[in-house]
Amino acid sequence: ALDTIKAKAHFSVERILEIEAEVRHDVIAFLTNVNEHVGDAGRHIHVGMTSSDVLDTGLALQLKRSVALLRQELDALADALRALAREHKATEMIGRSHAIHGEPITFGFKIAGWLAETERNRSRLERLETDVAVGQISGAMGTYANTDPQVEAITCDLLGLQPDTASTQVISRDRHADYVQTLALVGASLDRFATEIRNLQRTDVLEVEESFAKGQKGSSAMPHKRNPIRSERISGLARVLRSYVVAALENVALWHERDISHSSIERMMLPDVSVTLHFMLREMTAVVQGLGVYPDNMRRNMNIYGGVVFSQRVLLALVESGVSREEAYLMVQRNAHSAWNSRGGDFRANLMADVDVMNHISKQQLEDCFSTE
């Protein structure tokens, strides 16, 4: 029978759809069409199995291969980030918290944080590739009542899968929810990177910029516009990935040993999240590889208002000279705020003119506070 099945097994999508229109069951339609070609030997096909044995095991193969493709793109992104971080490890810029200037960092340091997060996502995908690679050939209710467990073991071994520990009539959907949540988490990382690029490309900041191709146009009305459209696209698609997380979690709770409320959702959700993240990873890699970085603008922004961002250095210098922290804080704060609130304000000049400050530290000590070395 096996030789006959191998020689004659065939199917036609058109014929399957014709049968399914009558029987309203996709697996039965498929089996019926195969048996039309195989003949009597077809009675050995699908023996002791249930539809989910075929569908869930096949889905596991798709998910495993999908993760492998996503890992390739994540590796390419990591390589691009690593190169950018090395190139700009000494490119000074201002660090920001609450979108307000904080203290100096380097652009390479910022990108190193992105790389570290990307490496964590790589580990998550490695783990996920194993967790979704689970098959079942356990029959109705998962009891093996009409199928020897050795059949499942042999089948999964041939397919590069692990037998499910304890399937019901389906592989439990916590695995699939994990898949969607993990992809959404990777997408959230890309959203973080893209949002930072969008903020740094603002006209009043302009420390980085997406590449702008020759002949490209940014606005139908304003010829000067160069918009971060790819980063905006990534941020938008990350919302799509996150929107599927709720549906994936709700798929976990099925009635008793199984129902098919999850099936219709997964036919849309799983391909969609996989293809969408794959596209987002390629987009982000292209953005990183073509990113314009403007060190002059970074230095200009860092030194605005006479270097107010070096306030902590001045504070510590005063404390070390014997001034109480509370008094030193007030001395530095009034000079910083005076510079901040004045057009063309100069923090360093304010400090130099402040007798209270200069009575406790020397001019050279003050100059040293404004060094990034």
Side-chain angles (χ1 to χ4, degrees):
L2 181 60
D3 291 338
T4 300
I5 293 169
K6 285 183 175 181
K8 295 185 176 181
H10 187 67
F11 67 89
S12 161
V13 174
E14 292 77 13
R15 177 57 179 151
I16 290 172
L17 293 175
E18 181 181 327
I19 298 169
E20 187 178 358
E22 177 183 352
V23 301
R24 302 294 181 92
H25 195 293
D26 52 0
V27 176
I28 291 175
F30 168 74
L31 293 170
T32 300
N33 182 218
V34 172
N35 285 336
E36 288 176 340
H37 295 277
V38 173
D40 182 63
R43 61 195 174 89
H44 296 287
I45 298 175
H46 205 69
V47 170
M49 294 175 66
T50 187
S51 297
S52 296
D53 290 336
V54 178
L55 297 176
D56 280 5
T57 302
L59 179 58
L61 292 173
Q62 291 177 301
L63 294 178
K64 181 181 178 182
R65 292 171 183 172
S66 175
V67 175
L69 290 173
L70 293 172
R71 284 180 57 190
Q72 289 179 14
E73 299 303 324
L74 200 64
D75 287 345
L77 175 59
D79 289 342
L81 290 171
R82 191 174 291 107
L84 188 64
R86 286 173 175 165
E87 181 182 357
H88 291 283
K89 65 181 181 180
T91 302
E92 296 172 359
M93 67 179 297
I94 190 60
R96 298 169 171 90
S97 61
H98 306 278
I100 306 299
H101 285 200
E103 292 199 340
I105 60 172
T106 70
F107 186 60
F109 174 74
K110 181 188 291 289
I111 300 304
W114 298 5
L115 175 60
E117 189 165 338
T118 299
E119 293 290 355
R120 289 195 296 276
N121 283 328
R122 188 180 190 278
S123 297
R124 290 177 179 119
L125 289 185
E126 288 176 353
R127 186 267 309 162
L128 186 65
E129 190 170 6
T130 299
D131 288 352
V132 298
V134 172
Q136 67 169 47
I137 308 291
S138 53
M141 302 302 112
T143 63
Y144 302 101
N146 299 294
T147 306
D148 192 311
Q150 287 188 329
V151 173
E152 180 182 71
I154 293 168
T155 303
C156 288
D157 183 60
L158 289 171
L159 296 175
L161 304 174
Q162 290 294 322
D164 195 9
T165 307
S167 59
T168 58
Q169 189 161 318
V170 295
I171 293 174
S172 297
R173 260 43 202 176
D174 62 293
R175 297 182 186 275
H176 306 77
D178 186 17
Y179 179 88
V180 175
Q181 289 183 100
T182 301
L183 267 58
L185 181 55
V186 177
S189 294
L190 301 183
D191 187 13
R192 181 170 89 87
F193 310 160
T195 298
E196 183 68 9
I197 291 170
R198 292 163 60 195
N199 274 316
L200 293 179
Q201 189 169 332
R202 285 169 25 225
T203 305
D204 52 342
V205 177
L206 199 56
E207 294 179 355
V208 305
E209 186 176 35
E210 285 188 13
S211 61
F212 200 80
K214 184 178 180 180
Q216 183 176 339
K217 294 178 172 60
S219 167
S220 62
M222 297 166 284
H224 70 278
K225 295 296 289 298
R226 296 198 299 196
N227 304 322
I229 57 173
R230 299 180 93 169
S231 295
E232 290 173 334
R233 186 179 298 145
I234 291 167
S235 290
L237 291 175
R239 299 168 192 168
V240 174
L241 295 184
R242 290 194 290 271
S243 73
Y244 277 118
V245 170
V246 173
L249 290 173
E250 291 188 350
N251 274 357
V252 174
L254 303 180
W255 287 15
H256 304 298
E257 276 56 59
R258 67 86 50 102
D259 63 47
I260 61 167
S261 60
H262 63 284
S263 177
S264 57
I265 301 168
E266 288 174 356
R267 292 175 191 231
M268 297 170 55
M269 174 177 65
L270 296 177
D272 202 8
V273 296
S274 305
V275 172
T276 299
L277 181 58
H278 191 268
F279 173 76
M280 291 169 64
L281 286 166
R282 287 198 171 182
E283 281 287 273
M284 181 53 72
T285 300
V287 168
V288 170
Q289 289 173 336
L291 194 66
V293 181
Y294 304 130
D296 289 344
N297 289 352
M298 291 177 175
R299 282 191 293 271
R300 179 201 67 202
N301 291 338
M302 185 172 66
N303 291 303
I304 196 170
Y305 301 124
V308 291
V309 297
F310 295 98
S311 66
Q312 182 176 198
R313 298 281 294 275
V314 179
L315 169 67
L316 295 178
L318 287 169
V319 171
E320 289 172 5
S321 72
V323 181
S324 71
R325 182 177 180 85
E326 292 75 15
E327 184 181 357
Y329 194 101
L330 292 174
M331 291 163 61
V332 175
Q333 185 183 52
R334 69 171 180 253
N335 285 286
H337 285 186
S338 175
W340 208 313
N341 294 332
S342 304
R343 183 177 179 84
D346 192 325
F347 178 54
R348 188 186 312 200
N350 289 352
L351 291 168
M352 292 288 290
D354 191 318
V355 176
D356 292 337
V357 172
M358 301 312 296
N359 280 342
H360 291 92
I361 59 175
S362 68
K363 182 178 178 181
Q364 185 58 54
Q365 285 176 308
L366 182 62
E367 291 294 333
D368 290 344
C369 292
F370 289 82
S371 172
T372 56
E373 295 181 358

